Amino acid sequence: MREAALPSPALPSRISPARSRRLHAMDWGFRWLTGGLAILVLFLLVGVALSLFLRGWEAFHHFGFAFFWSDAWDPVTENFGALVPIYGTLVSSLIAMLIAVPISFGIALFISELAPEWLRQPVGSAIELLAGIPSIIFGMWGLFVFAPVLSSAEPWLNDHLGVLPGIGVLFRGPPMGIGMLTAGIILAIMVIPFISAIMRDVFLVVPAMLKESAYGLGATTWEVTRHVVLPYTRTAVVGGVFLGLGRALGETMAVTFVIGNAHDLHLSLLDAGNSIAATLANEFAEAFSPMYKSALMALGFILFIITLVVLVLAKLMLWRLGQGQGKTGL
Amino acid sequence: MNAVRNPRYLRRRFWNIFHLSMAMITTLFGLFWLVWILWTTISYGATALNLELFTGDTPAPGSIGGLRNAFVGSLLMIGMAVILGTPVGILAGTFLAEFAQGSRLAAAIRFFNDILLSAPSIVIGLFIYAVVVVPMGSFSGFAGALSLAILLLPVILRTTDEMLGMVPSTMREAALALGAPHWKMIVQVNYRAARSGILTGVLLAVARISGETAPLLFTALSNQFFSTNLDKPIANVPVVIFHFAMSPYPEWQHLAWAGALIAAMAVLALSLVSRFLIKDRSPR
């Protein structure tokens, strides 16, 4: 239709019909090439889930639903259950979140509201550097440096927190320095940069006008944060926390070094445990029987599904901030 | 005068100062770990640094050696992953930014790309084990490169998408008005405008895969000897660090720390360069 508007009779086209057709074909080809590769991403994700499920099918089929709540893990008799690794994955990530969320919030608050302009960039970059350090270094640091420090603090935990009724059982155990608590703390250090970076970005989205109105009414910085910034960004903040949780659940190397690799179920956080990722990293190379391998693949599938659910929730919550922003239109 | 003594005012002031101090303390706390971990890596790693590291291969327990085979293996696999993953990521990102903006398909692909971006790397390793290593019948450097390429792909896809989205539409219109076909406009105008941004994405992605250990455990495995054959298991820095650090031999542990220091420095250098590139681009 646009061609009709051009003064074509006066300017005869110098592109021959054949060339024009070729250019069109290339346009079409380029479009389909890029489109096909983009759709590949969707297939990759489906492929990951499907291949892990199929490889783990032997274990799922053989053990049935008992696989999920059996705490057995015996390669000799080929009796496998996923309870211990699932428990370890969830508990170590939970410890990590309990530590990382308040600290990340503090860091985000400092960078977005408190720090003088010249300090924001360097502090932000430094925290982000922490995110760039390869996870295996966290693991080595945890095993060689942090675990000895923690093991000298653990008798104190035994004596003071271990005597408390109820939660005391969590803090009674051998002061080895490795175990669930160590894994949780190191995971926390690893996810702090992620969560605080997202929180900072999200806080910066809050329209200045909203904040200034509150300041104009005489609110303090904390009151503005508590009553203006947080309500405005609540879902996205939770989304950022979930994104960090997704990272913690699947983190392998840092956990493998310090969780203790023991297939026992203990309530105590000081005892050695195991996580799905650590089990895979430690045992995969030694798993020669098909059922052993299949059980490990099944664990991988469970890990993938858990993180998938967490990440989808995270994305949906972060997405809603973008939507809400458009609607308020401030 | 009255306001200053007002208990309500004092209470608000107290909580304000309390929370702001907590924010400051948590920031120091976060930086404290960074400094501690970096310091550990440098002090342990620096004592193990020597020339032998780059000339010798991974030694048997009790003897001395270096990490030459691991460095070569890692570089080969990372290079291969970049060759495989970068074009796919850039072209797929081009589709999202140029052909499908605002469509439901693009939204879905962006969503799942972000999921893939955050999916645990160990799961990607298992996937490649299931679809490449098992059919091929052996662990291989190629499988390792492929798993790294899958980790690289979503990062590049996302940055390409974002960077092309920042190219002003007037430039597109100018190219089209001159009669350029769509693909030519993208390749010769948009790519050129977004070049440094896309390059940043590639560097960030390489930084991400350089330290990855978990997927290589199931794909490339490792190799005690020098090898450049990507069809067979191949030595690589992260897996060697993992084995050596977990070993009871002090020589191996020293090598692990040296490898860790070099890996960390490489990753930090890459992210600093990409940061510099971002800053270098004129704002907005």
Side-chain angles (χ1 to χ4, degrees), chain A residues 35 37-43 45 243 311-312 314-316 318-319 323, chain B residues 89-119 153-166 172:
Chain A
L37 291 174
I39 287 170
L40 181 76
V41 170
L42 298 182
F43 279 106
L45 216 57
L243 217 54
L311 292 174
V312 166
K315 285 267 89 161
L316 289 177
L318 284 168
W319 194 41
Q323 301 261 306
Chain B
I90 290 179
L91 287 173
T94 306
F95 179 74
L96 297 187
E98 300 290 338
F99 293 113
Q101 324 90 307
S103 75
R104 218 173 275 173
L105 177 66
I109 291 174
R110 276 193 194 110
F111 188 85
F112 286 109
N113 184 63
D114 282 358
I115 304 281
L116 192 64
L117 184 74
S118 322
L153 165 69
V155 185
I156 295 179
L157 194 159
R158 192 180 167 160
T159 28
T160 307
D161 181 16
E162 280 171 3
M163 292 304 151
L164 286 177
M166 279 161 57
R172 291 199 181 86

Side-chain angles (χ1 to χ4, degrees), chain A residues 26-27 34-35 42 45 51 55 103 106 110 126 128 132 137 140-141 144-145 218 222-223 253 277 293 297 315, chain B residues 12 16 19 26-27 29 34 36 40 91 95 112 114 122 127 129-130 182-183 218 241-242 245 260 264 267 275:
Chain A
M26 286 186 80
D27 248 359
T34 58
L42 298 182
L45 216 57
S51 66
R55 295 272 165 199
I103 291 176
F110 179 79
E128 279 166 32
I137 291 176
M140 291 170 72
W141 172 82
F144 291 110
V145 180
W222 169 246
E223 282 162 350
M253 297 327 286
K293 219 148 224 174
M297 282 291 186
K315 285 267 89 161
Chain B
R12 287 176 56 203
N16 189 43
H19 283 108
T26 52
T27 308
F29 187 71
L34 172 73
W36 192 2
T40 304
L91 287 173
F95 179 74
F112 286 109
D114 282 358
I122 192 164
F127 167 62
Y129 175 84
H182 211 143
W183 66 269
F218 313 134
I241 294 177
F242 178 51
V267 171
R275 209 168 280 273

